[in-house]
Amino acid sequence: VQLQASGGGVVQPGGSLRLSCVISGRTSPQMPVGWFRETPGKRREGVACIVAEEISESYEDSVKGRFTISRDKTRNTVDLRLDRLQPEDSGTYTCALAEEENWYCTLFEVGYQQWGRGTLVTVSS
């Protein structure tokens, strides 16, 4: 199993980005996928996760209403739309996959076993 995140970049405060996580290998659409953010000096934190849209999604409080996670089972991708970005949203964003099927997802990194390489998001004026 491999995960590859892309879509990061430099954006001004208030701007938007769309991150994409491409998942390859033997997986199931019932395996939860999470997006995590890591900033120097801070612990990696989960910002959003999904099993299936409108069935099981979860967001970290600071991104609720600004970030939207979505899953395309046909293409085996999980996207994260970042709107109204703020400087504190800067960091390396990484996607991760849980190896067991579940109806629910978690924002805790211990729930994920497969990790991709991150993509850097910088929010700066």
Side-chain angles (χ1 to χ4, degrees):
V1 175
Q2 289 188 327
L3 296 89
Q4 180 63 54
S6 64
V10 180
V11 63
Q12 293 186 340
S16 298
L17 283 173
R18 188 176 190 91
L19 309 182
S20 182
C21 177
V22 178
I23 305 168
S24 59
R26 294 192 66 176
T27 64
S28 160
Q30 201 65 31
M31 292 175 176
V33 174
W35 277 98
F36 291 80
R37 176 172 65 203
E38 190 166 15
T39 305
K42 290 182 64 177
R43 188 172 182 172
R44 183 162 58 187
E45 61 178 346
V47 295
C49 67
I50 189 169
V51 179
E53 292 180 31
E54 300 182 1
I55 298 177
S56 179
E57 302 173 15
S58 186
Y59 296 91
E60 192 270 329
D61 285 347
S62 71
V63 308
K64 285 180 180 177
R66 301 189 299 118
F67 290 10
T68 306
I69 193 168
S70 61
R71 187 168 196 165
D72 186 325
K73 296 179 181 180
T74 301
R75 295 170 55 232
N76 210 10
T77 59
V78 175
D79 290 354
L80 185 66
R81 171 79 180 184
L82 290 64
D83 292 314
R84 290 183 280 140
L85 281 161
Q86 304 166 5
E88 51 267 36
D89 294 318
S90 298
T92 298
Y93 285 71
T94 305
C95 54
L97 175 77
E99 291 181 332
E100 291 190 6
E101 295 182 340
N102 204 322
W103 287 106
Y104 303 100
C105 64
T106 177
L107 294 177
F108 293 103
E109 58 182 291
V110 295
Y112 301 89
Q113 296 75 42
Q114 296 291 338
W115 293 79
R117 297 183 65 178
T119 185
L120 181 62
V121 172
T122 303
V123 185
S124 175
S125 55

Short mmCIF file of all heavy atoms in Angstrom, two decimals, residues 40-74:
data_model
loop_
_atom_site.label_atom_id
_atom_site.label_comp_id
_atom_site.label_asym_id
_atom_site.label_seq_id
_atom_site.Cartn_x
_atom_site.Cartn_y
_atom_site.Cartn_z
N PRO A 40 6.74 22.51 12.90
CA PRO A 40 7.91 22.44 13.78
C PRO A 40 7.60 22.91 15.19
O PRO A 40 6.97 23.95 15.39
CB PRO A 40 8.91 23.39 13.10
CG PRO A 40 8.53 23.35 11.66
CD PRO A 40 7.03 23.23 11.66
N GLY A 41 7.97 22.10 16.16
CA GLY A 41 7.75 22.45 17.55
C GLY A 41 6.42 22.04 18.09
O GLY A 41 6.14 22.21 19.28
N LYS A 42 5.57 21.49 17.23
CA LYS A 42 4.25 21.06 17.68
C LYS A 42 4.06 19.59 17.34
O LYS A 42 4.61 19.07 16.37
CB LYS A 42 3.14 21.88 17.02
CG LYS A 42 3.05 23.31 17.49
CD LYS A 42 1.89 24.03 16.82
CE LYS A 42 0.57 23.43 17.21
NZ LYS A 42 -0.57 24.18 16.61
N ARG A 43 3.21 18.96 18.11
CA ARG A 43 2.90 17.56 17.87
C ARG A 43 2.02 17.44 16.64
O ARG A 43 1.19 18.30 16.38
CB ARG A 43 2.18 17.00 19.09
CG ARG A 43 1.97 15.51 19.06
CD ARG A 43 1.43 15.01 20.37
NE ARG A 43 1.25 13.56 20.37
CZ ARG A 43 0.94 12.85 21.44
NH1 ARG A 43 0.78 13.46 22.60
NH2 ARG A 43 0.80 11.55 21.36
N ARG A 44 2.22 16.36 15.85
CA ARG A 44 1.37 16.14 14.69
C ARG A 44 -0.08 15.99 15.14
O ARG A 44 -0.36 15.26 16.10
CB ARG A 44 1.83 14.89 13.94
CG ARG A 44 1.04 14.61 12.66
CD ARG A 44 1.77 13.67 11.74
NE ARG A 44 2.08 12.39 12.35
CZ ARG A 44 2.83 11.46 11.76
NH1 ARG A 44 3.34 11.68 10.56
NH2 ARG A 44 3.06 10.32 12.38
N GLU A 45 -0.98 16.64 14.45
CA GLU A 45 -2.39 16.61 14.83
C GLU A 45 -3.26 16.22 13.65
O GLU A 45 -2.99 16.56 12.51
CB GLU A 45 -2.83 17.98 15.36
CG GLU A 45 -2.71 19.11 14.36
CD GLU A 45 -3.20 20.44 14.90
OE1 GLU A 45 -3.87 20.47 15.95
OE2 GLU A 45 -2.91 21.46 14.26
N GLY A 46 -4.31 15.50 13.96
CA GLY A 46 -5.27 15.13 12.93
C GLY A 46 -6.19 16.31 12.66
O GLY A 46 -6.69 16.95 13.60
N VAL A 47 -6.41 16.63 11.41
CA VAL A 47 -7.29 17.74 11.07
C VAL A 47 -8.61 17.27 10.48
O VAL A 47 -9.64 17.94 10.62
CB VAL A 47 -6.62 18.76 10.12
CG1 VAL A 47 -5.44 19.42 10.81
CG2 VAL A 47 -6.17 18.09 8.83
N ALA A 48 -8.60 16.13 9.81
CA ALA A 48 -9.84 15.61 9.22
C ALA A 48 -9.67 14.12 8.92
O ALA A 48 -8.57 13.65 8.68
CB ALA A 48 -10.20 16.35 7.94
N CYS A 49 -10.79 13.42 8.95
CA CYS A 49 -10.76 12.00 8.58
C CYS A 49 -12.09 11.62 7.96
O CYS A 49 -13.11 12.33 8.13
CB CYS A 49 -10.43 11.11 9.78
SG CYS A 49 -11.69 11.07 11.06
N ILE A 50 -12.10 10.49 7.26
CA ILE A 50 -13.30 10.07 6.56
C ILE A 50 -13.31 8.56 6.37
O ILE A 50 -12.25 7.94 6.21
CB ILE A 50 -13.41 10.78 5.19
CG1 ILE A 50 -14.76 10.53 4.54
CG2 ILE A 50 -12.26 10.36 4.27
CD1 ILE A 50 -15.01 11.41 3.31
N VAL A 51 -14.50 8.00 6.43
CA VAL A 51 -14.71 6.66 5.91
C VAL A 51 -15.52 6.82 4.63
O VAL A 51 -15.10 6.45 3.54
CB VAL A 51 -15.44 5.74 6.91
CG1 VAL A 51 -15.65 4.36 6.29
CG2 VAL A 51 -14.63 5.62 8.19
N ALA A 52 -16.71 7.39 4.77
CA ALA A 52 -17.55 7.68 3.62
C ALA A 52 -18.23 9.01 3.84
O ALA A 52 -18.58 9.36 4.98
CB ALA A 52 -18.58 6.58 3.42
N GLU A 53 -18.41 9.77 2.75
CA GLU A 53 -18.99 11.10 2.88
C GLU A 53 -20.39 11.03 3.47
O GLU A 53 -21.18 10.17 3.13
CB GLU A 53 -19.03 11.77 1.50
CG GLU A 53 -17.66 12.11 0.97
CD GLU A 53 -17.73 12.78 -0.38
OE1 GLU A 53 -18.71 13.48 -0.63
OE2 GLU A 53 -16.80 12.58 -1.18
N GLU A 54 -20.66 11.99 4.34
CA GLU A 54 -21.95 12.15 5.00
C GLU A 54 -22.33 10.97 5.87
O GLU A 54 -23.43 10.94 6.40
CB GLU A 54 -23.06 12.44 3.97
CG GLU A 54 -22.81 13.71 3.17
CD GLU A 54 -23.93 14.00 2.20
OE1 GLU A 54 -24.91 13.23 2.17
OE2 GLU A 54 -23.85 15.00 1.49
N ILE A 55 -21.43 10.04 6.03
CA ILE A 55 -21.68 8.91 6.92
C ILE A 55 -20.71 8.96 8.09
O ILE A 55 -21.12 8.89 9.25
CB ILE A 55 -21.55 7.57 6.17
CG1 ILE A 55 -22.60 7.48 5.07
CG2 ILE A 55 -21.67 6.40 7.15
CD1 ILE A 55 -22.51 6.24 4.23
N SER A 56 -19.46 9.10 7.80
CA SER A 56 -18.47 9.20 8.85
C SER A 56 -17.35 10.14 8.43
O SER A 56 -16.49 9.77 7.63
CB SER A 56 -17.89 7.82 9.19
OG SER A 56 -16.91 7.96 10.20
N GLU A 57 -17.42 11.36 8.94
CA GLU A 57 -16.37 12.35 8.76
C GLU A 57 -16.12 12.99 10.11
O GLU A 57 -17.02 13.05 10.95
CB GLU A 57 -16.80 13.46 7.78
CG GLU A 57 -17.20 13.00 6.41
CD GLU A 57 -17.77 14.14 5.59
OE1 GLU A 57 -17.61 15.31 5.99
OE2 GLU A 57 -18.40 13.88 4.56
N SER A 58 -14.92 13.50 10.29
CA SER A 58 -14.62 14.20 11.53
C SER A 58 -13.60 15.28 11.25
O SER A 58 -12.73 15.12 10.39
CB SER A 58 -14.10 13.22 12.59
OG SER A 58 -13.94 13.85 13.84
N TYR A 59 -13.72 16.40 11.98
CA TYR A 59 -12.81 17.52 11.79
C TYR A 59 -12.31 18.01 13.15
O TYR A 59 -13.04 18.01 14.14
CB TYR A 59 -13.53 18.68 11.09
CG TYR A 59 -13.98 18.36 9.68
CD1 TYR A 59 -15.24 17.85 9.45
CD2 TYR A 59 -13.14 18.58 8.60
CE1 TYR A 59 -15.67 17.55 8.16
CE2 TYR A 59 -13.55 18.29 7.31
CZ TYR A 59 -14.81 17.77 7.09
OH TYR A 59 -15.22 17.48 5.82
N GLU A 60 -11.08 18.46 13.14
CA GLU A 60 -10.54 19.13 14.32
C GLU A 60 -11.25 20.47 14.47
O GLU A 60 -11.62 21.12 13.47
CB GLU A 60 -9.03 19.29 14.14
CG GLU A 60 -8.27 19.71 15.38
CD GLU A 60 -8.16 21.21 15.51
OE1 GLU A 60 -8.12 21.89 14.46
OE2 GLU A 60 -8.15 21.71 16.65
N ASP A 61 -11.48 20.91 15.69
CA ASP A 61 -12.32 22.07 15.94
C ASP A 61 -11.88 23.31 15.17
O ASP A 61 -12.72 24.07 14.66
CB ASP A 61 -12.35 22.38 17.43
CG ASP A 61 -13.22 21.40 18.20
OD1 ASP A 61 -14.00 20.65 17.56
OD2 ASP A 61 -13.12 21.36 19.44
N SER A 62 -10.59 23.55 15.07
CA SER A 62 -10.12 24.80 14.47
C SER A 62 -10.34 24.86 12.96
O SER A 62 -10.26 25.93 12.36
CB SER A 62 -8.64 25.02 14.79
OG SER A 62 -7.83 24.11 14.07
N VAL A 63 -10.63 23.72 12.33
CA VAL A 63 -10.81 23.72 10.88
C VAL A 63 -12.25 23.49 10.46
O VAL A 63 -12.57 23.55 9.27
CB VAL A 63 -9.91 22.65 10.20
CG1 VAL A 63 -8.46 22.80 10.66
CG2 VAL A 63 -10.42 21.24 10.45
N LYS A 64 -13.13 23.24 11.42
CA LYS A 64 -14.54 23.02 11.09
C LYS A 64 -15.11 24.22 10.37
O LYS A 64 -14.92 25.36 10.78
CB LYS A 64 -15.34 22.75 12.37
CG LYS A 64 -15.13 21.36 12.94
CD LYS A 64 -15.97 21.16 14.20
CE LYS A 64 -15.75 19.77 14.78
NZ LYS A 64 -16.49 19.58 16.05
N GLY A 65 -15.81 23.96 9.27
CA GLY A 65 -16.39 25.02 8.48
C GLY A 65 -15.44 25.62 7.47
O GLY A 65 -15.85 26.41 6.61
N ARG A 66 -14.16 25.27 7.55
CA ARG A 66 -13.17 25.80 6.59
C ARG A 66 -12.55 24.70 5.74
O ARG A 66 -12.20 24.92 4.60
CB ARG A 66 -12.06 26.54 7.34
CG ARG A 66 -12.53 27.72 8.18
CD ARG A 66 -11.37 28.54 8.72
NE ARG A 66 -10.49 27.76 9.59
CZ ARG A 66 -9.21 27.52 9.34
NH1 ARG A 66 -8.65 27.97 8.24
NH2 ARG A 66 -8.49 26.81 10.21
N PHE A 67 -12.39 23.52 6.30
CA PHE A 67 -11.82 22.39 5.57
C PHE A 67 -12.93 21.40 5.24
O PHE A 67 -13.86 21.20 6.02
CB PHE A 67 -10.76 21.67 6.42
CG PHE A 67 -9.49 22.44 6.63
CD1 PHE A 67 -9.37 23.78 6.27
CD2 PHE A 67 -8.39 21.82 7.21
CE1 PHE A 67 -8.19 24.48 6.48
CE2 PHE A 67 -7.20 22.49 7.42
CZ PHE A 67 -7.11 23.83 7.07
N THR A 68 -12.81 20.77 4.07
CA THR A 68 -13.78 19.76 3.65
C THR A 68 -13.05 18.55 3.10
O THR A 68 -12.24 18.68 2.18
CB THR A 68 -14.72 20.32 2.57
OG1 THR A 68 -15.33 21.52 3.03
CG2 THR A 68 -15.79 19.30 2.23
N ILE A 69 -13.35 17.40 3.67
CA ILE A 69 -12.72 16.16 3.21
C ILE A 69 -13.70 15.42 2.33
O ILE A 69 -14.92 15.44 2.56
CB ILE A 69 -12.28 15.30 4.42
CG1 ILE A 69 -11.35 14.17 3.97
CG2 ILE A 69 -13.48 14.77 5.20
CD1 ILE A 69 -10.65 13.45 5.12
N SER A 70 -13.18 14.77 1.29
CA SER A 70 -14.03 14.02 0.38
C SER A 70 -13.29 12.78 -0.10
O SER A 70 -12.05 12.75 -0.10
CB SER A 70 -14.46 14.89 -0.81
OG SER A 70 -13.32 15.32 -1.54
N ARG A 71 -14.07 11.80 -0.54
CA ARG A 71 -13.46 10.53 -0.96
C ARG A 71 -14.07 10.09 -2.27
O ARG A 71 -15.30 10.07 -2.43
CB ARG A 71 -13.69 9.46 0.11
CG ARG A 71 -12.95 8.16 -0.15
CD ARG A 71 -12.99 7.28 1.08
NE ARG A 71 -12.00 6.21 1.01
CZ ARG A 71 -11.62 5.48 2.05
NH1 ARG A 71 -12.15 5.69 3.24
NH2 ARG A 71 -10.72 4.52 1.90
N ASP A 72 -13.21 9.73 -3.21
CA ASP A 72 -13.63 9.20 -4.50
C ASP A 72 -13.23 7.73 -4.53
O ASP A 72 -12.05 7.40 -4.70
CB ASP A 72 -12.96 9.98 -5.63
CG ASP A 72 -13.47 9.57 -7.00
OD1 ASP A 72 -13.79 8.38 -7.20
OD2 ASP A 72 -13.56 10.44 -7.89
N LYS A 73 -14.21 6.86 -4.36
CA LYS A 73 -13.91 5.43 -4.27
C LYS A 73 -13.47 4.87 -5.61
O LYS A 73 -12.71 3.89 -5.67
CB LYS A 73 -15.13 4.68 -3.75
CG LYS A 73 -15.50 5.06 -2.34
CD LYS A 73 -16.74 4.32 -1.88
CE LYS A 73 -17.12 4.74 -0.46
NZ LYS A 73 -18.32 4.03 0.03
N THR A 74 -13.91 5.47 -6.70
CA THR A 74 -13.53 4.99 -8.03
C THR A 74 -12.06 5.24 -8.30
O THR A 74 -11.34 4.38 -8.80
CB THR A 74 -14.40 5.65 -9.11
OG1 THR A 74 -15.77 5.36 -8.85
CG2 THR A 74 -14.01 5.14 -10.48
#
